[in-house]
Amino acid sequence: MIKFSIRALVVEGQLGGVRPGDTPDSVRDRLGPPSDLMAGIGGTEIWRYGNFELFIDGDLVYTLYHDWLIDLEADGEREIDPWILGTAEAPSYDAVVQRLTAEQVPFIPGRDRQNRRMLEIPTGARLLFEIDADTGVESWTVIQVVHPDFASGFTPDESTD
């Protein structure tokens, strides 16, 4: 059984042992064939394992992506360790910051291109937060681990030191 650990995805930047920079062959060796293949922009392939996505450009995995945080789903011979997720609602920005701080996981607060709050874990993922227009609650909506050659769109907050 292959374990998809949300903590490992966030903190270590890996999903079932797969990381950005790996090849499609190594992904197949570790995770087996994807449950779904989609064509992306500019020749990119998107391999889906349940609702976890791997973006592949040629012979390079360049992004691990997940945006169904309240509906975690793996397929086949995979199981999910939900860590902070797995409830009916995605955690708030403050709840995620508190959890990362309690577990002594270093992070950098910042913003994306649309000025939405993000947390970047230097050894792992970028976490995106969005405000619900109806409730005004700011919740965690996306996990993405991006290969350094493809990483853009994050601006760290200015230090208050």
Side-chain angles (χ1 to χ4, degrees), residues 71-146:
D71 187 21
L72 301 173
E73 185 181 300
D75 61 345
E77 297 295 315
R78 292 169 269 294
E79 66 180 359
I80 297 172
D81 179 358
W83 185 47
I84 192 174
L85 300 175
T87 62
E89 296 181 1
S92 69
Y93 180 87
D94 291 337
V96 174
V97 166
Q98 288 173 354
R99 183 70 176 259
L100 293 173
T101 301
E103 294 189 22
Q104 300 181 348
V105 175
F107 60 88
I108 302 163
R111 302 274 176 171
D112 75 351
R113 288 188 179 119
Q114 284 90 36
N115 203 33
R116 297 172 294 190
R117 287 209 281 190
M118 293 184 87
L119 297 174
E120 182 175 76
I121 290 65
T123 58
R126 289 181 176 171
L127 314 179
L128 177 67
F129 298 81
E130 295 186 75
I131 297 173
D132 184 286
D134 295 329
T135 66
V137 175
E138 185 178 32
S139 298
W140 184 13
T141 57
V142 173
I143 304 168
Q144 61 181 2
V145 183
V146 183

Side-chain angles (χ1 to χ4, degrees), residues 1-159:
M1 184 68 63
I2 298 165
K3 184 177 283 188
F4 282 5
S5 165
I6 298 300
R7 187 179 194 290
L9 181 59
V10 169
V11 177
E12 301 168 21
Q14 58 98 2
L15 181 67
V18 171
R19 299 176 183 277
D22 287 350
T23 66
D25 288 341
S26 68
V27 171
R28 274 194 198 91
D29 289 346
R30 288 186 186 113
L31 303 182
S35 54
D36 192 22
L37 286 168
M38 299 183 301
I41 297 170
T44 295
E45 288 184 350
I46 302 168
W47 291 18
R48 294 193 68 180
Y49 292 88
N51 54 18
F52 293 81
E53 297 177 343
L54 285 67
F55 289 70
I56 299 172
D57 184 19
D59 205 28
L60 176 78
V61 175
Y62 70 89
T63 299
L64 309 177
Y65 185 86
H66 190 66
D67 65 351
W68 291 79
L69 303 187
I70 59 172
D71 187 21
L72 301 173
E73 185 181 300
D75 61 345
E77 297 295 315
R78 292 169 269 294
E79 66 180 359
I80 297 172
D81 179 358
W83 185 47
I84 192 174
L85 300 175
T87 62
E89 296 181 1
S92 69
Y93 180 87
D94 291 337
V96 174
V97 166
Q98 288 173 354
R99 183 70 176 259
L100 293 173
T101 301
E103 294 189 22
Q104 300 181 348
V105 175
F107 60 88
I108 302 163
R111 302 274 176 171
D112 75 351
R113 288 188 179 119
Q114 284 90 36
N115 203 33
R116 297 172 294 190
R117 287 209 281 190
M118 293 184 87
L119 297 174
E120 182 175 76
I121 290 65
T123 58
R126 289 181 176 171
L127 314 179
L128 177 67
F129 298 81
E130 295 186 75
I131 297 173
D132 184 286
D134 295 329
T135 66
V137 175
E138 185 178 32
S139 298
W140 184 13
T141 57
V142 173
I143 304 168
Q144 61 181 2
V145 183
V146 183
H147 187 279
D149 291 348
F150 294 81
S152 64
F154 176 78
T155 303
D157 290 345
E158 292 186 24
S159 175

